[in-house]
Amino acid sequence: MGKIGLIARREFNERVRKKSFIITTIITPLLMVGAMVLMVWLMGRTNNRDKEILVVDRSGIIAPSLSDEGTIHFRPSEQSLEEMQREQPEGVYGILVIDEDIMTDQRGANLYTYEASTVETEEAIAGQIKRIVESEKLKAYDIENLDRILAEIETPITLQTKTISTDGEMKDSSSTLSLISAYIFGLLIYMFVITYGTMVMQGVIEEKSNKVLELIVSSVKPFELMMGKIIGIASVALTQLLIWVVFIVVAGGAVLNIFAGDMMAAAASMNAGTAMPAGMDPESMDTVAMLSRLTDFGYILTLIIGFIVYFIGGYLFYASMFAAVGSAVDNEKDTQNLQLPITIPLLVSFFVLINAMQDPNGPLAFWFSLIPLTSPIIMMARLPYGVPGWEIVLSVALLYLSFVGMVWLAGKIYRVGIFMYGKKPTFKELFKWMKYKY
Amino acid sequence: MEILKVENVTKRFANHTALDDVSLEVPRGSVYGLLGPNGAGKSTLIRIINRITAPDSGHVYLNGHELAPEDVYKIGYLPEERGLYKQMKVGEQAVYFAQLKGLSHREATARLKTWFKKFGIEYWWDKKVSELSKGMAQKVQFIVTVLHEPELLIFDEPFSGFDPINANLLKEEILALRDNGATVIFSTHNMASVEEICDHITLINKSHNILSGSLEQIRREHGTNIFEVEFIGDRTALATQLTGKGFSLLEADDEEPSAVQKLKIHIDDHIRIKELVSDINSTVEIRSFREIIPSMNDIFIKAVSGIL
């Protein structure tokens, strides 16, 4: 086994055997599932809270046609607005006052609430009033069978989306799924690069403060030591990732099969190329399209391979920078300043990520998915939407080329830095170190 | 033949020159002392020999050929700044370091077991380094240094941090290694240890090699030409006998009248020792006669302060 291999193996064994690794590996997915469940539960709770709205209708047109919608309940008011202003009636969310000229004045409806109202509530109330006013106006035209006509012409639309690939094949696409994948994968790379990059830096600082370094570099080259550490920690990250992927596939598959067995069957048949089973309502058709993408082996494989390629490239690029920073300082407190060239591009990536999720082929997303500093995160955000092959090839090539360059530079700083004790170096000094002959 | 030869090595850092045209030869099988005040350039020279850093100019030869990457397997190095991974188990860690020095896992384990048994520390194997005391960790470190049975051993300030008992143990081990054919270089500014175990030295000061050679030769060269005689007899008669012949008497211990008296004599010329001895012999009864040889400490201080 080569020396880099020996060093990498030590790093791997030391870290994987740690209790903290085992605990985070098990706890993190549970925490994430827990957080999601909690979020859904809390959202359900607020939505379930009934909102009672008292209606003061001066026009006499609106109130009779208002119907309870979701958690909003309407009730005619027995008191005047002034009385209720002085004292809040028990359990009342707000007061809706309709002016006499509501048919002609678009500002004729007023909602007074005892707490800040929500966009959702306002939209629901405005929507109802709009529909009532519209139908009142229609009635003025005296059309026969108006109600039946209105019922007949009401048509809900669910847009069916398909993407045409370069070889002319059509695929179901689900922008919801793409959006979610873009966010999750982009964020995952961001988190992994920071977590494991910091681990590299801490490892270097630990070796330096343990004074174990000089003993090691009398047997191996500093560059081998740095690469061994980076590779060892990368394999820790990949191990953790693998455990999580297995967990998600097993747990997710089980959940889907239990709760959405028929939809899974439909999705499978869609993947097989047969027609969508008849008699399925449009709402669940959308879910089926999503599931069909999710269970589409090729699509998932592209995402996973893309993730691994970009994770490795991005991690190696940033980890070598982290190693250089770690080598230059004596303790972690001194790293903040030197970490700026690492944290700023990562933060920028994070903000561009949000843009790229919404406009995956826009110029911002395009350029930032080519620049090696940001490409791992941004390209992962674009990948779920489908990216032209040449862009991926170019972006990966640029990333890996610059990673080689960065490792080379970091190695030069590292070599000098590990023997520098006592003073906090500046960027100027780091540049000088790169030019040292060893 | 020498095992290690350093030829005109120069190493500059940004603000200072650590080594300026330093040359030295380490004879095979010797215990070679590398002396010098702090900051003289000893550690830089040791790092160059260990290939941790490269010289700006000059060459280093091991066994007659220029130092190559695989030579690290032939060198054992105990740095002055020594430490171990605190969270790693002792045995596992020692095996790891041995593997980095080219031993197989099996070979390293077998040799370590022998050494641990020799030092009576087998029960440390599964302990974490953080559970060991500083002295205990030093022992482990010493074993790691010598485990791959290198031809050349380099100890940088080996006795610092050891208690007297362990320092003595270490000294004996170093001499035993020499007797088994290894060559030992050690850097120190502890002169007592130099006199006890070194047979050759090099004194580095302000990046220059200012003094090199075997301990015996150096002391002789820096002899003070002062001799001490112990005798029984008439002191005044002896003084009279010696005056006016180019000998100067340095001390007259007449305040302490005892049977055996001492006298220190300086002679201008080594060749006249016989003459001196016969002069003394003709007057008093000689009990002992010896040259006052300067201690390494004196030579060191004189050399560094530029008196030599």
Side-chain angles (χ1 to χ4, degrees):
Chain A
M1 196 187 292
K3 285 187 181 166
I4 294 182
L6 270 174
I7 294 161
R9 202 180 56 179
R10 192 200 80 87
E11 294 289 340
F12 180 81
N13 286 342
E14 280 299 295
R15 283 162 211 282
V16 168
R17 277 191 233 147
K18 263 192 198 154
K19 281 196 197 87
S20 59
F21 173 81
I22 298 167
I23 291 169
T24 36
T25 307
I26 297 171
I27 295 275
T28 312
L30 293 180
L31 270 182
M32 277 164 87
V33 169
M36 259 146 70
V37 167
L38 190 73
M39 232 160 66
V40 169
W41 183 68
L42 282 178
M43 269 158 64
R45 259 175 70 94
T46 48
N47 286 352
N48 284 339
R49 201 179 60 136
D50 286 326
K51 290 178 183 138
E52 182 139 346
I53 292 173
L54 298 182
V55 185
V56 179
D57 188 359
R58 292 174 187 145
S59 67
I61 302 165
I62 306 295
S65 306
L66 279 173
S67 55
D68 292 354
E69 186 179 333
T71 56
I72 305 170
H73 303 281
F74 296 102
R75 188 157 60 86
S77 158
E78 285 137 18
Q79 292 163 289
S80 71
L81 180 62
E82 286 71 29
E83 281 171 332
M84 286 186 284
Q85 199 178 347
R86 274 196 300 276
E87 195 188 349
Q88 179 183 6
E90 203 185 331
V92 169
Y93 178 79
I95 306 142
L96 179 65
V97 179
I98 310 288
D99 291 348
E100 285 153 30
D101 53 354
I102 181 72
M103 296 297 289
T104 50
D105 181 8
Q106 60 166 343
R107 306 173 63 88
N110 308 284
L111 179 70
Y112 303 88
T113 52
Y114 293 102
E115 57 185 277
S117 73
T118 62
V119 178
E120 217 183 4
T121 316
E122 286 163 23
E123 274 176 358
I125 294 172
Q128 282 216 26
I129 297 172
K130 179 174 170 271
R131 252 177 284 126
I132 294 165
V133 172
E134 277 172 359
S135 68
E136 281 303 313
K137 283 183 178 168
L138 270 174
K139 273 181 197 157
Y141 289 97
D142 244 349
I143 303 166
E144 252 181 277
N145 297 330
L146 184 66
D147 290 345
R148 194 173 55 85
I149 295 170
L150 281 179
E152 256 181 37
I153 61 174
E154 192 177 311
T155 339
I157 295 290
T158 312
L159 198 61
Q160 300 299 295
T161 50
K162 287 180 197 297
T163 319
I164 305 170
S165 65
T166 38
D167 51 359
E169 205 187 332
M170 282 203 227
K171 274 253 159 196
D172 294 287
S173 74
S174 163
S175 352
T176 317
L177 179 66
S178 300
L179 192 75
I180 296 172
S181 318
Y183 187 65
I184 290 180
F185 280 108
L187 202 65
L188 219 52
I189 291 229
Y190 176 80
M191 273 168 44
F192 264 76
V193 165
I194 288 204
T195 313
Y196 285 96
T198 311
M199 207 180 268
V200 169
M201 187 178 77
Q202 284 166 340
V204 174
I205 296 174
E206 189 205 343
E207 268 171 6
K208 210 177 154 178
S209 60
N210 265 358
K211 310 217 161 126
V212 75
L213 260 172
E214 186 137 2
L215 188 63
I216 300 174
V217 290
S218 69
S219 317
V220 302
K221 287 205 189 88
F223 184 77
E224 293 174 308
L225 178 61
M226 187 180 93
M227 279 321 286
K229 186 175 274 301
I230 289 176
I231 291 170
I233 292 177
S235 44
V236 177
L238 288 175
T239 306
Q240 190 166 57
L241 189 73
L242 194 74
I243 295 172
W244 287 351
V245 165
V246 169
F247 176 84
I248 289 166
V249 167
V250 170
V255 167
L256 283 179
N257 268 321
I258 293 166
F259 294 105
D262 49 340
M263 284 194 189
M264 285 293 284
S269 66
M270 249 171 97
N271 279 343
T274 51
M276 174 81 72
M280 192 163 271
D281 65 285
E283 197 109 325
S284 43
M285 291 264 283
D286 193 37
T287 319
V288 169
M290 203 162 106
L291 281 176
S292 115
R293 285 294 263 169
L294 204 56
T295 50
D296 176 353
F297 191 63
Y299 179 70
I300 294 296
L301 202 65
T302 316
L303 288 186
I304 289 181
I305 289 176
F307 181 81
I308 289 173
V309 167
Y310 277 102
F311 167 69
I312 291 176
Y315 162 82
L316 289 177
F317 185 85
Y318 277 105
S320 49
M321 284 167 84
F322 271 116
V325 169
S327 74
V329 298
D330 290 352
N331 60 65
E332 229 169 299
K333 273 178 270 165
D334 297 342
T335 59
Q336 284 185 353
N337 203 3
L338 294 176
Q339 274 191 69
L340 282 182
I342 304 173
T343 42
I344 288 175
L346 279 174
L347 268 178
V348 168
S349 315
F350 190 71
F351 289 118
V352 176
L353 165 73
I354 292 162
N355 174 282
M357 273 160 51
Q358 287 150 1
D359 187 8
N361 290 307
L364 196 66
F366 172 79
W367 287 108
F368 277 92
S369 65
L370 291 183
I371 299 170
L373 280 163
T374 53
S375 66
I377 293 171
I378 305 308
M379 193 52 110
M380 270 329 286
R382 294 183 63 199
L383 220 49
Y385 293 95
V387 178
W390 70 269
E391 284 183 31
I392 300 180
V393 171
L394 180 63
S395 146
V396 168
L398 281 176
L399 178 63
Y400 277 76
L401 275 178
S402 52
F403 131 63
V404 171
M406 183 48 75
V407 165
W408 181 73
L409 276 182
K412 282 178 162 267
I413 296 177
Y414 181 86
R415 207 180 46 182
V416 180
I418 52 176
F419 291 118
M420 294 286 173
Y421 285 97
K423 58 173 181 177
K424 252 164 92 174
T426 58
F427 285 112
K428 208 175 130 197
E429 278 169 293
L430 293 194
F431 279 113
K432 237 191 254 164
W433 293 357
M434 288 180 194
K435 286 181 252 159
Y436 276 11
K437 180 179 166 268
Y438 256 73
Chain B
M1 197 190 111
E2 75 282 345
I3 181 168
L4 182 82
K5 192 169 163 189
V6 174
E7 219 174 64
N8 310 105
V9 162
T10 299
K11 175 77 186 173
R12 284 186 197 86
F13 290 113
N15 312 318
H16 73 289
T17 305
L19 293 170
D20 188 4
D21 198 26
V22 168
S23 302
L24 56 88
E25 286 178 16
V26 179
R28 184 178 296 279
S30 63
V31 176
Y32 198 95
L34 203 54
L35 319 179
N38 293 325
K42 288 173 295 182
S43 289
T44 306
L45 181 60
I46 288 176
R47 283 183 181 165
I48 288 172
I49 297 170
N50 275 300
R51 290 182 58 86
I52 292 172
T53 165
D56 293 338
S57 65
H59 302 274
V60 179
Y61 300 95
L62 186 74
N63 291 327
H65 55 255
E66 191 138 19
L67 211 57
E70 57 278 8
D71 284 333
V72 295
Y73 298 135
K74 297 177 189 157
I75 301 177
Y77 174 41
L78 183 70
E80 184 180 6
E81 299 280 14
R82 46 198 104 117
L84 297 164
Y85 290 108
K86 293 208 167 51
Q87 293 308 312
M88 214 175 164
K89 283 178 181 165
V90 173
E92 212 179 333
Q93 177 153 214
V95 170
Y96 170 66
F97 284 123
Q99 281 181 296
L100 289 183
K101 281 289 189 189
L103 291 184
S104 71
H105 190 279
R106 180 199 300 253
E107 180 70 28
T109 312
R111 285 192 197 180
L112 277 167
K113 296 270 186 206
T114 320
W115 272 100
F116 273 46
K117 197 172 272 178
K118 183 173 171 185
F119 279 8
I121 56 173
E122 300 104 306
Y123 65 98
W124 290 4
W125 191 272
D126 279 324
K127 277 193 179 182
K128 278 187 182 171
V129 171
S130 54
E131 296 170 54
L132 301 185
S133 74
K134 199 176 167 198
M136 291 159 110
Q138 303 253 32
K139 267 189 194 170
V140 175
Q141 206 132 25
F142 173 79
I143 296 173
V144 166
T145 310
V146 302
L147 194 72
H148 60 293
E149 294 173 2
E151 293 172 50
L152 181 63
L153 282 156
I154 302 174
F155 297 99
D156 198 352
E157 292 292 350
F159 301 112
S160 74
F162 274 91
D163 61 57
I165 294 171
N166 279 318
N168 204 45
L169 185 75
L170 182 66
K171 197 180 82 190
E172 275 163 23
E173 284 300 332
I174 288 176
L175 292 174
L177 287 165
R178 194 247 341 247
D179 295 340
N180 289 331
T183 308
V184 180
I185 295 180
F186 85 90
S187 131
T188 184
H189 44 240
N190 175 354
M191 290 306 136
S193 60
V194 171
E195 263 159 306
E196 275 178 76
I197 61 176
C198 288
D199 34 45
H200 285 73
I201 64 146
T202 276
L203 180 54
I204 293 180
N205 188 36
K206 291 180 183 158
S207 3
H208 289 86
N209 176 355
I210 56 171
L211 190 62
S212 235
S214 81
L215 206 60
E216 273 308 302
Q217 180 199 345
I218 286 176
R219 286 170 136 185
R220 202 153 306 286
E221 276 170 16
H222 296 91
T224 45
N225 280 358
I226 295 173
F227 293 81
E228 187 186 67
V229 62
E230 284 183 325
F231 60 92
I232 298 172
D234 187 353
R235 184 181 196 94
T236 334
L238 179 60
T240 324
Q241 168 76 8
L242 294 177
T243 37
K245 289 184 176 173
F247 308 117
S248 27
L249 308 183
L250 298 178
E251 276 168 64
D253 288 348
D254 44 8
E255 286 154 35
E256 212 184 306
S258 63
V260 180
Q261 302 186 58
K262 286 182 190 170
L263 194 61
K264 280 184 184 162
I265 306 145
H266 180 267
I267 52 174
D268 308 335
D269 190 351
H270 239 82
I271 314 160
R272 297 179 60 202
I273 293 176
K274 276 187 174 170
E275 204 181 313
L276 174 66
V277 174
S278 67
D279 273 344
I280 300 170
N281 200 28
S282 65
T283 324
V284 293
E285 185 186 332
I286 296 177
R287 278 303 154 93
S288 78
F289 181 83
R290 64 185 185 93
E291 186 176 6
I292 304 271
I293 293 175
S295 71
M296 272 318 293
N297 207 30
D298 294 338
I299 297 177
F300 180 87
I301 290 168
K302 279 185 184 168
V304 168
S305 53
I307 293 172
L308 281 183

Short mmCIF file of all heavy atoms in Angstrom, two decimals, chain B residues 129-156:
data_model
loop_
_atom_site.label_atom_id
_atom_site.label_comp_id
_atom_site.label_asym_id
_atom_site.label_seq_id
_atom_site.Cartn_x
_atom_site.Cartn_y
_atom_site.Cartn_z
N VAL B 129 -3.05 7.30 23.84
CA VAL B 129 -1.87 8.08 24.20
C VAL B 129 -2.23 9.12 25.25
O VAL B 129 -1.43 9.43 26.15
CB VAL B 129 -1.27 8.74 22.95
CG1 VAL B 129 -0.19 9.72 23.33
CG2 VAL B 129 -0.71 7.67 22.03
N SER B 130 -3.46 9.64 25.20
CA SER B 130 -3.85 10.67 26.16
C SER B 130 -3.85 10.14 27.60
O SER B 130 -3.84 10.91 28.55
CB SER B 130 -5.22 11.22 25.80
OG SER B 130 -6.15 10.18 25.68
N GLU B 131 -3.86 8.80 27.75
CA GLU B 131 -3.84 8.24 29.10
C GLU B 131 -2.42 8.09 29.63
O GLU B 131 -2.23 7.76 30.80
CB GLU B 131 -4.50 6.86 29.11
CG GLU B 131 -5.98 6.89 28.76
CD GLU B 131 -6.52 5.49 28.55
OE1 GLU B 131 -6.36 4.64 29.44
OE2 GLU B 131 -7.11 5.23 27.48
N LEU B 132 -1.42 8.27 28.76
CA LEU B 132 -0.03 8.09 29.18
C LEU B 132 0.53 9.40 29.73
O LEU B 132 0.10 10.48 29.35
CB LEU B 132 0.84 7.66 28.00
CG LEU B 132 0.48 6.38 27.26
CD1 LEU B 132 1.54 6.08 26.22
CD2 LEU B 132 0.35 5.21 28.22
N SER B 133 1.54 9.26 30.61
CA SER B 133 2.24 10.45 31.06
C SER B 133 3.22 10.87 29.97
O SER B 133 3.45 10.14 29.01
CB SER B 133 2.99 10.15 32.35
OG SER B 133 4.13 9.37 32.05
N LYS B 134 3.81 12.05 30.16
CA LYS B 134 4.72 12.56 29.14
C LYS B 134 5.92 11.63 28.95
O LYS B 134 6.30 11.29 27.84
CB LYS B 134 5.19 13.96 29.54
CG LYS B 134 5.75 14.74 28.38
CD LYS B 134 6.12 16.14 28.79
CE LYS B 134 6.96 16.80 27.71
NZ LYS B 134 7.68 17.96 28.20
N GLY B 135 6.46 11.17 30.09
CA GLY B 135 7.62 10.29 30.04
C GLY B 135 7.29 8.97 29.35
O GLY B 135 8.09 8.44 28.58
N MET B 136 6.08 8.45 29.61
CA MET B 136 5.66 7.20 28.98
C MET B 136 5.57 7.38 27.47
O MET B 136 6.03 6.54 26.69
CB MET B 136 4.29 6.79 29.53
CG MET B 136 4.29 6.35 30.98
SD MET B 136 2.62 6.48 31.66
CE MET B 136 2.19 4.78 31.86
N ALA B 137 5.00 8.51 27.06
CA ALA B 137 4.86 8.77 25.64
C ALA B 137 6.24 8.88 24.97
O ALA B 137 6.43 8.43 23.84
CB ALA B 137 4.06 10.05 25.41
N GLN B 138 7.21 9.43 25.72
CA GLN B 138 8.56 9.56 25.18
C GLN B 138 9.17 8.19 24.89
O GLN B 138 9.87 8.00 23.91
CB GLN B 138 9.45 10.29 26.18
CG GLN B 138 8.95 11.64 26.57
CD GLN B 138 9.77 12.74 25.94
OE1 GLN B 138 10.27 12.58 24.86
NE2 GLN B 138 9.88 13.86 26.63
N LYS B 139 8.88 7.25 25.79
CA LYS B 139 9.41 5.89 25.59
C LYS B 139 8.84 5.30 24.31
O LYS B 139 9.57 4.70 23.52
CB LYS B 139 9.00 5.00 26.78
CG LYS B 139 10.03 4.95 27.87
CD LYS B 139 9.63 3.87 28.87
CE LYS B 139 10.44 4.01 30.14
NZ LYS B 139 9.93 3.14 31.21
N VAL B 140 7.52 5.46 24.15
CA VAL B 140 6.88 4.94 22.95
C VAL B 140 7.54 5.56 21.72
O VAL B 140 7.84 4.88 20.73
CB VAL B 140 5.37 5.25 22.96
CG1 VAL B 140 4.72 4.81 21.66
CG2 VAL B 140 4.71 4.58 24.15
N GLN B 141 7.79 6.85 21.82
CA GLN B 141 8.36 7.56 20.70
C GLN B 141 9.78 7.05 20.36
O GLN B 141 10.14 6.94 19.20
CB GLN B 141 8.45 9.03 21.05
CG GLN B 141 8.41 9.88 19.83
CD GLN B 141 7.42 10.98 20.02
OE1 GLN B 141 7.12 11.39 21.14
NE2 GLN B 141 6.90 11.50 18.95
N PHE B 142 10.52 6.74 21.41
CA PHE B 142 11.86 6.21 21.19
C PHE B 142 11.78 4.87 20.44
O PHE B 142 12.50 4.64 19.47
CB PHE B 142 12.59 6.03 22.53
CG PHE B 142 13.91 5.34 22.40
CD1 PHE B 142 15.01 6.06 21.97
CD2 PHE B 142 14.04 3.98 22.66
CE1 PHE B 142 16.24 5.43 21.82
CE2 PHE B 142 15.27 3.35 22.52
CZ PHE B 142 16.37 4.07 22.10
N ILE B 143 10.86 4.03 20.88
CA ILE B 143 10.70 2.73 20.22
C ILE B 143 10.34 2.92 18.76
O ILE B 143 10.90 2.27 17.87
CB ILE B 143 9.61 1.89 20.94
CG1 ILE B 143 10.06 1.58 22.37
CG2 ILE B 143 9.33 0.61 20.18
CD1 ILE B 143 9.00 0.91 23.21
N VAL B 144 9.42 3.85 18.50
CA VAL B 144 9.01 4.11 17.12
C VAL B 144 10.21 4.55 16.27
O VAL B 144 10.34 4.17 15.12
CB VAL B 144 7.89 5.19 17.10
CG1 VAL B 144 7.69 5.71 15.70
CG2 VAL B 144 6.61 4.62 17.66
N THR B 145 11.10 5.32 16.88
CA THR B 145 12.26 5.83 16.14
C THR B 145 13.21 4.72 15.71
O THR B 145 13.76 4.76 14.62
CB THR B 145 13.04 6.84 17.03
OG1 THR B 145 12.12 7.78 17.55
CG2 THR B 145 14.11 7.53 16.23
N VAL B 146 13.41 3.73 16.59
CA VAL B 146 14.44 2.74 16.31
C VAL B 146 13.88 1.44 15.72
O VAL B 146 14.64 0.58 15.30
CB VAL B 146 15.25 2.39 17.58
CG1 VAL B 146 15.87 3.65 18.15
CG2 VAL B 146 14.36 1.73 18.63
N LEU B 147 12.56 1.33 15.67
CA LEU B 147 11.93 0.05 15.34
C LEU B 147 12.34 -0.50 13.98
O LEU B 147 12.53 -1.70 13.82
CB LEU B 147 10.40 0.22 15.39
CG LEU B 147 9.65 -1.10 15.40
CD1 LEU B 147 9.81 -1.78 16.73
CD2 LEU B 147 8.18 -0.87 15.11
N HIS B 148 12.48 0.35 12.99
CA HIS B 148 12.80 -0.17 11.65
C HIS B 148 14.30 -0.40 11.47
O HIS B 148 14.77 -0.58 10.36
CB HIS B 148 12.23 0.75 10.57
CG HIS B 148 12.74 2.15 10.61
ND1 HIS B 148 12.45 3.02 11.63
CD2 HIS B 148 13.54 2.84 9.77
CE1 HIS B 148 13.03 4.18 11.41
NE2 HIS B 148 13.71 4.10 10.29
N GLU B 149 15.03 -0.43 12.60
CA GLU B 149 16.46 -0.74 12.63
C GLU B 149 17.24 0.04 11.59
O GLU B 149 17.89 -0.52 10.72
CB GLU B 149 16.68 -2.25 12.48
CG GLU B 149 16.12 -2.99 13.68
CD GLU B 149 16.15 -4.50 13.53
OE1 GLU B 149 16.65 -4.97 12.51
OE2 GLU B 149 15.65 -5.17 14.44
N PRO B 150 17.19 1.37 11.69
CA PRO B 150 17.88 2.19 10.70
C PRO B 150 19.39 2.19 10.93
O PRO B 150 19.86 1.96 12.05
CB PRO B 150 17.31 3.58 10.96
CG PRO B 150 16.87 3.57 12.38
CD PRO B 150 16.48 2.17 12.70
N GLU B 151 20.14 2.43 9.86
CA GLU B 151 21.60 2.52 9.98
C GLU B 151 22.00 3.80 10.67
O GLU B 151 23.01 3.88 11.34
CB GLU B 151 22.24 2.58 8.58
CG GLU B 151 22.11 1.36 7.74
CD GLU B 151 22.61 1.67 6.34
OE1 GLU B 151 23.72 2.21 6.21
OE2 GLU B 151 21.87 1.38 5.38
N LEU B 152 21.19 4.83 10.41
CA LEU B 152 21.52 6.15 10.93
C LEU B 152 20.38 6.62 11.83
O LEU B 152 19.23 6.65 11.40
CB LEU B 152 21.72 7.13 9.77
CG LEU B 152 22.10 8.56 10.15
CD1 LEU B 152 23.44 8.59 10.84
CD2 LEU B 152 22.14 9.44 8.91
N LEU B 153 20.73 6.97 13.06
CA LEU B 153 19.71 7.45 13.99
C LEU B 153 19.99 8.91 14.30
O LEU B 153 21.14 9.29 14.54
CB LEU B 153 19.77 6.64 15.28
CG LEU B 153 19.12 5.27 15.19
CD1 LEU B 153 19.70 4.34 16.22
CD2 LEU B 153 17.62 5.40 15.37
N ILE B 154 18.95 9.72 14.29
CA ILE B 154 19.14 11.13 14.58
C ILE B 154 18.24 11.50 15.76
O ILE B 154 17.03 11.32 15.69
CB ILE B 154 18.80 11.99 13.35
CG1 ILE B 154 19.67 11.56 12.17
CG2 ILE B 154 19.00 13.46 13.68
CD1 ILE B 154 19.32 12.24 10.88
N PHE B 155 18.85 11.95 16.83
CA PHE B 155 18.07 12.38 17.99
C PHE B 155 18.27 13.87 18.19
O PHE B 155 19.41 14.33 18.32
CB PHE B 155 18.55 11.65 19.25
CG PHE B 155 18.37 10.16 19.20
CD1 PHE B 155 19.43 9.32 18.87
CD2 PHE B 155 17.15 9.60 19.49
CE1 PHE B 155 19.26 7.94 18.83
CE2 PHE B 155 16.97 8.23 19.46
CZ PHE B 155 18.03 7.40 19.12
N ASP B 156 17.19 14.60 18.19
CA ASP B 156 17.28 16.04 18.40
C ASP B 156 16.92 16.31 19.86
O ASP B 156 15.79 16.08 20.27
CB ASP B 156 16.30 16.76 17.45
CG ASP B 156 16.65 18.23 17.28
OD1 ASP B 156 17.53 18.71 18.00
OD2 ASP B 156 16.03 18.88 16.42
#
